Amino acid sequence: MDDMRALKRLDPEKFTTDALASQFRVSPEAVRRILRSRWAPDAKRSEELQGRDDAKRAQTLEYYKQLRERRKATREKARKRSESEGSSSGWKQARYGRKEGSRRPSRFDSRPEEDGFTLMAGADLSSPDIQQAYLDVRDDKKPINWMILNYEGPRSDVLTLTATGEGGLNELKDKLQDEDCSFAYARVEYSNVGAAPRPQIAVSAVPGVSFVFCKQDKESKRVKFVLITWIGEKAGIMRKAKISVHTGDVKKALPVFSIEVPARAHEDVDEDHIVTRLRK
């Protein structure tokens, strides 16, 4: 359901009801009901659905892995037999399913996990550099205060650490490229100037009488963390669709943050705008 809604939001003209019905193999009426529905599972149900999807994905990938291994073993066996008999047409026929001269690549040559419509794979954040950078940004004693994660390749689901810095949000937003879809994590430090004063209570010398006054501590500072989901204007349609699915995986790897900032332009990562949101 989330994948279908994400594709519809990205390009309503391309992903029509009939196109989505054909892609997800459901009826057009089912697509219309899903798009109209505002139902969303609770946290427990979402975890159950995610676990079921992960298990199904793993089972599918394992099936195709075993299938490729069996076909590879069959081709190797046919090749060795043909070599011993002095002919090369046997193993080629076993590999391509047709006789030499009219061969056609097997439909199993394409990996299903790379087909964004057929199977939305989860994000891979297994790199130890990601967790180390996350801990460095969280550590007030370290100068590093932001990090950026980018995809390893145009069709890859592997996220890698591509940049870190000490210059805050103004430095971070200059590193975000229009051709990329990225995740950024930053430590934001700001003073209490401009924030709402904190109410305090003072008790007078007269029994039963007290005063309420507001005091603003201009010297103290606050530190909070933000997660930025960057979708560049020139990024591909499939990459834009998949980043909405991978956001949940990134939140599990980088769990501590005060707000999430969806950004499509550099103005969305403006420090003053984000600090205003943090003060609310």
Side-chain angles (χ1 to χ4, degrees):
M1 292 175 61
D2 292 339
D3 298 346
M4 188 181 298
R5 291 169 179 168
L7 292 174
K8 186 66 175 179
R9 287 195 300 268
L10 287 174
D11 195 341
E13 296 181 357
K14 179 178 181 180
F15 299 107
T16 61
T17 300
D18 293 336
L20 291 173
S22 175
Q23 194 61 55
F24 287 90
R25 299 180 182 179
V26 295
S27 65
E29 180 62 25
V31 173
R32 283 191 287 268
R33 291 184 179 181
I34 291 173
L35 296 178
R36 287 198 305 263
S37 174
R38 296 184 179 180
W39 177 85
D42 54 22
K44 183 178 180 181
R45 181 58 176 167
S46 297
E47 186 175 353
E48 293 177 356
L49 293 174
Q50 184 65 35
R52 187 177 65 182
D53 292 343
D54 291 344
K56 185 176 180 181
R57 184 183 298 111
Q59 183 180 3
T60 303
L61 295 180
E62 182 63 24
Y63 167 77
Y64 279 100
K65 179 181 178 181
Q66 293 179 3
L67 184 60
R68 286 192 294 270
E69 290 177 353
R70 290 197 300 268
R71 292 180 64 85
K72 182 178 179 181
T74 301
R75 292 194 299 267
E76 184 66 18
K77 184 177 179 180
R79 185 184 66 80
K80 291 181 179 180
R81 183 172 62 249
S82 64
E83 287 178 351
S84 64
E85 296 175 355
S87 172
S88 62
S89 60
W91 71 270
K92 289 185 178 180
Q93 183 175 355
R95 177 177 182 179
Y96 298 112
R98 297 171 66 90
K99 292 184 178 180
E100 187 176 8
S102 60
R103 67 180 181 87
R104 180 179 60 189
S106 170
R107 64 188 179 92
F108 297 108
D109 288 345
S110 62
R111 297 176 57 191
E113 61 267 31
E114 293 182 352
D115 184 354
F117 290 103
T118 305
L119 182 61
M120 288 274 189
D124 184 352
L125 295 99
S126 59
S127 172
D129 295 339
I130 296 177
Q131 280 303 310
Q132 184 59 50
Y134 171 69
L135 295 176
D136 290 342
V137 174
R138 296 269 307 150
D139 191 348
D140 294 341
K141 298 179 181 179
K142 297 288 182 68
I144 295 176
N145 53 25
W146 60 265
M147 57 183 285
I148 294 178
L149 305 180
N150 278 323
Y151 289 94
E152 197 174 47
R155 302 191 63 174
S156 174
D157 295 321
V158 179
L159 285 166
T160 59
L161 179 69
T162 55
T164 59
E166 305 173 8
L169 293 174
N170 291 328
E171 182 184 37
L172 182 153
K173 69 179 181 181
D174 293 336
K175 301 295 183 180
L176 300 172
Q177 303 297 322
D178 292 337
E179 297 81 8
D180 296 335
C181 286
S182 312
F183 294 97
Y185 185 77
R187 181 174 74 239
V188 182
E189 182 177 342
Y190 59 94
S191 65
N192 282 330
V193 177
R198 295 177 299 172
Q200 298 183 5
I201 300 177
V203 180
S204 68
V206 180
V209 179
S210 59
F211 300 95
V212 178
F213 65 97
C214 294
K215 181 180 180 181
Q216 188 177 57
D217 185 3
K218 298 182 180 180
E219 300 299 328
S220 65
K221 293 186 178 181
R222 296 184 181 181
V223 176
K224 292 188 178 181
F225 301 88
V226 298
L227 177 65
I228 301 171
T229 305
W230 169 260
I231 301 179
E233 295 180 355
K234 299 179 182 179
I237 291 294
M238 282 311 305
R239 178 57 74 199
K240 291 180 179 179
K242 296 185 75 173
I243 196 172
S244 63
V245 179
H246 293 167
T247 301
D249 299 322
V250 174
K251 289 180 179 179
K252 292 179 181 178
L254 314 175
V256 181
F257 57 90
S258 298
I259 60 172
E260 179 184 358
V261 181
R264 293 179 176 268
H266 290 92
E267 292 76 11
D268 298 332
V269 198
D270 182 70
E271 185 172 3
D272 294 337
H273 173 68
I274 292 178
V275 170
T276 301
R277 288 188 57 188
L278 291 171
R279 281 178 171 155
K280 292 182 180 179

